[in-house]
Structure formats: structure tokens, C-alpha cells
Amino acid sequence: LKFERFPHPDVREYYSAMMKNVISGLNVPVHRANDIDELKKINNDMHLTHLFVGETEYMTDPEYMETIADNMTLVIVCDDGFKALPGSRAKLLYKPFYAFPVMSILNADADAADIRQGRMYCRGVRVLTVDDEPMNLMVAKNLFKRYGMEVSLASSGEEAVSLCAENRYDLIFMDHMMPRMDGIETARRIRAGITGKGAQPVIVALTANAMSTAKEMFIGEGFEGFLSKPIEVAELERVLSKVLPVSLITYETEAYQKDIPDKEAHMPAEDDDMQMLRNAGIDPEKGMEYCLNDTELYKAVLEEFVNDSKEKEKELEEFFGKADWENYIIRIHSVKSSARMIGAISVSDRAKALESAAKENDIVYLNDIYPQFLKEYLELAEAIGSICKAGESNDK
């Protein structure tokens, strides 16, 4: 990561200080290469397990970087939309760069070294997913079922508490930001209701706020794990292997993998619909990735995004008009999550900026940016609706 390429000294100093902070918390030996020649020398002299490289540095000699992936984990720190060489085995770490995703990669690779051959299953594990966003519930249900889990869904904290009073769950994935009763309060009530009645379920925090301090906050509140949204399979399996008893996890060979989606087989052909999605500001490959490379699921998520947009508009306008920033933050956070789920990264990032402004009570920014954002959000939903309808007509 060559910070010298940034012309402004404050920027160079900021990145250097940030990197020192990240390294100091990892407790692993780290070596720095300032250019390709120095990287080659270090690689020849030492046994390296991971290479973190910026997209600019990667593109200086991508062929050499890819040869490195034969012997170690290659991680490219990049912006959304970056494409490595075709067939690349590199992992993409999307900016901003901070400690938690780095630790996730290191931990995942360490765990993978001990994993037996075959696909992970958690057959018979009773899991409850709690999230006020229907799109997230759709994807979670499909994902967890592929591990052989028995899946229940709750769209609110109140519903989750009620379900836990009547049923026993081994594992609960708990959304953090929900209206009326957030995930932390919901977890407290679930635990209080179960006390003295049997084993407590494992509760894993599920949140789009992947801040470096988030893990400590959730662990402090009694959560056994932390999973960022949208869910990535490698990170999910790392968490499952940590929080579930070994007796509940099996690894099965390819003979049993009929329910596993194959990326190439499920990726839709490059047709007019795909191009229209791109023209609307959507990265369909990213959306497909978040939807398990399942074409039908991705279509259903797109339709849900459209169907849900009017209700979100109504709520956003109500909370914005009343200056009810607590509920506005929850709703704009939901828009941020759902937009990222379909691959609308630009809209997601703008919603994230509005969420931050509301948290900081930056009324000037909100008044300047929110009206135009709402217009763009609704135009995106309208465009997706037209594309979905056109796709249905073509199918017929």
C-alpha cells in the first residue's frame, strides 16, 4: 500500500497513522513493501501468508500479483466496482480500510486451514432471523436453509420475543437497528424470558454498521458473535464454526451438494435486462453475489425493493417532516441496506451519508441533500419496476 503516491502530506500522514493503529491491534508480524521490487525480495526471503495490496499497486503488475495467490492469500483493498483479472483468486476488501475486515480475513483463513474437506452443514439447527427489512429476511431464509437449518423469521423485536416464548432456538441472528425495540433490547428480553426455562440461545448481532467499535459493543451486551450485512458466506461460516458446538456441524462431500448454487450456472446471461440495470446505476453482479448467485432470488429481491419503496418514502417523509431523527435514522439505514443488497452502491452510500448526518444532527446537510436523494431513490425504484415488468413480458 504505497501512501507516497498521495500528493498531500496530511493524507499520507493520516493513512500511515491508520495503518500503524491497525497493525498494532493485530498481534501478527507485518512487513511493508514500498514497490514491486521490494515485494519480490521479501517474498523470496520470507514465508508470507497474506498480501494486502491497493488496487493501484495491484494494477502495476497484476500478472505477478496473481502468481502470488498460488502460495498465499491475496487481498486487494479497493473501491466498489473494481475488477481484478478474469479468474482472479484475490479477495476484495472494499474501502474504508479498518481493523475488523482485516481480522475477519485473517481469522477466516486460519479457520479454513483446519476445516475438513466438504461443504459445511448445520442440519437440524433451529435458527431465528430477526430483521425489519423484508429483503434481508428473504436472503437469510434462502441462505440458512442451504445449510440444512430449520429457519424461522421475525420482522420485529416484539415478534421475536413472542416466538422465543413459544419455541426453542439454537441460534438467533439479530438485526441491530429496528423501530420500537432495537436488537439489543430484544436480546435482553429474550434472555430474561428464557431464564430458568432451559438453555439460552446463541445470539449473533446482524448489522450494516460494521464499525471497528461495533464488535466490542455487542460482545459487551452479551452477544456471542457479530456478522456484518450484507452477509458473506465465508464470514458466516467462520461465525458458525465459532458459536455452534462441533456436534452440530458436519462437512459433506460433493455428492451431497445438490442445493449449492454454482456461480457460473446461475449467473444470468448478459442480456438487455442486465444492461438496463447497469444504466439505472446498479451493479447486478454485486447484487447477485449478495443473493447467493441465485437468479430467481435476485429477481424477487429487486421486486421487493420496488414494492417497499412507497412505504419507505411515506415513513421517511413523515419522520423528516417532524424532525424525528431517531426514527429517520432507522429508516434511512434500512434504505442503505436494501440498496446495497441489490447492488445500487451509489444510492446506498448516499443513504449512509444521510444516516451519519442525522446522527450528528447536521440539519443543513440534511435539508440540502435529502430531497434530491429521495427523488433519486424513487426514480431508481421506478426504473427497476419497469425492468422487472419488461423481463416478465419477455419470459412470456
Side-chain angles (χ1 to χ4, degrees):
L1 301 171
K2 193 174 181 182
F3 303 139
E4 290 78 3
R5 62 187 170 86
F6 296 105
H8 199 289
D10 289 345
V11 175
R12 295 197 299 270
E13 183 178 344
Y14 169 80
Y15 279 121
S16 295
M18 177 190 68
M19 184 59 65
K20 288 178 182 177
N21 288 333
V22 170
I23 290 172
S24 67
L26 293 177
N27 196 30
V28 295
V30 176
H31 305 276
R32 180 176 177 183
N34 292 310
D35 53 43
I36 290 291
D37 291 337
E38 189 172 352
L39 171 61
K40 291 179 179 179
K41 184 177 186 305
I42 294 174
N43 191 29
N44 288 333
D45 295 343
M46 300 179 180
H47 172 65
L48 304 177
T49 60
H50 297 75
L51 172 64
F52 289 82
V53 60
E55 59 183 85
T56 301
E57 290 77 15
Y58 171 85
M59 293 307 298
T60 60
D61 193 343
E63 289 79 11
Y64 174 71
M65 297 295 179
E66 291 298 336
T67 64
I68 282 181
D70 292 336
N71 302 307
M72 73 182 79
T73 299
L74 174 63
V75 183
I76 305 174
V77 182
C78 58
D79 293 310
D80 282 314
F82 173 78
K83 302 292 185 184
L85 291 185
S88 172
R89 285 172 290 171
K91 296 182 179 181
L92 302 185
L93 195 163
Y94 296 107
K95 297 176 182 176
F97 182 91
Y98 57 98
F100 182 75
V102 176
M103 290 190 299
S104 296
I105 289 172
L106 297 179
N107 288 334
D109 290 344
D111 295 340
D114 297 325
I115 287 178
R116 290 165 286 176
Q117 294 297 313
R119 164 73 189 272
M120 174 188 277
Y121 280 93
C122 307
R123 298 192 185 280
V125 169
R126 288 159 294 199
V127 61
L128 172 65
T129 301
V130 188
D131 200 309
D132 67 316
E133 176 56 59
M135 290 168 53
N136 291 335
L137 290 177
M138 290 171 61
V139 174
K141 181 178 180 180
N142 279 269
L143 175 59
F144 298 144
K145 277 191 171 182
R146 287 171 177 168
Y147 288 86
M149 298 178 178
E150 299 172 10
V151 185
S152 298
L153 306 175
S155 59
S156 68
E158 295 88 344
E159 184 180 3
V161 172
S162 176
L163 285 172
C164 288
E166 300 172 358
N167 306 280
R168 188 173 74 83
Y169 299 101
D170 303 301
L171 178 60
I172 299 175
F173 286 98
M174 181 72 69
D175 184 30
H176 177 212
M177 295 185 67
M178 297 185 291
R180 297 182 301 278
M181 188 189 302
D182 70 10
I184 291 175
E185 179 62 24
T186 303
R188 288 173 182 163
R189 296 195 184 188
I190 288 173
R191 294 196 186 283
I194 295 176
T195 299
K197 299 180 181 178
Q200 292 278 357
V202 172
I203 304 183
V204 174
L206 192 61
T207 178
N209 279 338
M211 301 297 290
S212 58
T213 57
K215 181 176 181 180
E216 289 75 14
M217 179 189 74
F218 288 116
I219 297 301
E221 290 289 345
F223 287 74
E224 284 83 359
F226 174 97
L227 193 61
S228 59
K229 295 190 295 186
I231 298 172
E232 296 185 358
V233 169
E235 180 63 10
L236 170 64
E237 294 190 357
R238 188 189 73 80
V239 170
L240 291 174
S241 67
K242 292 291 185 183
V243 303
L244 289 178
V246 175
S247 60
L248 295 180
I249 301 175
T250 60
Y251 294 90
E252 302 180 13
T253 61
E254 292 182 1
Y256 297 93
Q257 297 187 36
K258 295 179 181 179
D259 59 336
I260 302 173
D262 178 75
K263 183 171 182 177
E264 297 300 326
H266 285 73
M267 184 65 73
E270 186 62 35
D271 55 15
D272 291 342
D273 288 353
M274 294 284 280
Q275 187 56 53
M276 284 190 290
L277 287 171
R278 289 195 180 87
N279 293 341
I282 295 173
D283 180 350
E285 285 83 7
K286 180 61 66 177
M288 281 286 292
E289 180 182 332
Y290 290 144
C291 291
L292 318 175
N293 300 312
D294 186 323
T295 304
E296 294 305 314
L297 178 57
Y298 185 45
K299 288 179 180 178
V301 166
L302 286 170
E303 291 172 358
E304 184 61 37
F305 183 89
V306 176
N307 296 336
D308 199 36
S309 61
K310 287 300 180 183
E311 182 64 24
K312 280 192 168 67
E313 176 196 12
K314 178 182 175 182
E315 293 177 334
L316 284 170
E317 289 285 75
E318 177 187 350
F319 299 140
F320 186 84
K322 294 179 179 179
D324 180 354
W325 302 124
E326 181 179 354
N327 282 305
Y328 177 85
I329 288 168
I330 292 172
R331 274 294 152 250
I332 200 71
H333 176 91
S334 179
V335 173
K336 175 186 72 175
S337 175
S338 60
R340 185 162 291 272
M341 182 71 72
I342 64 171
I345 306 302
S346 177
V347 170
S348 177
D349 287 344
R350 296 196 68 181
K352 180 179 179 180
L354 287 167
E355 179 186 359
S356 298
K359 288 179 178 178
E360 297 166 6
N361 203 31
D362 189 347
I363 307 303
V364 173
Y365 182 89
L366 288 164
N367 285 329
D368 285 346
I369 302 301
Y370 168 68
Q372 180 60 31
F373 167 81
L374 184 64
K375 180 174 180 291
E376 292 176 3
Y377 168 59
L378 295 175
E379 287 175 349
L380 175 65
E382 183 178 355
I384 295 172
S386 298
I387 295 168
C388 290
K389 288 179 181 178
E392 290 174 2
S393 298
N394 292 335
D395 290 342
K396 292 176 183 179

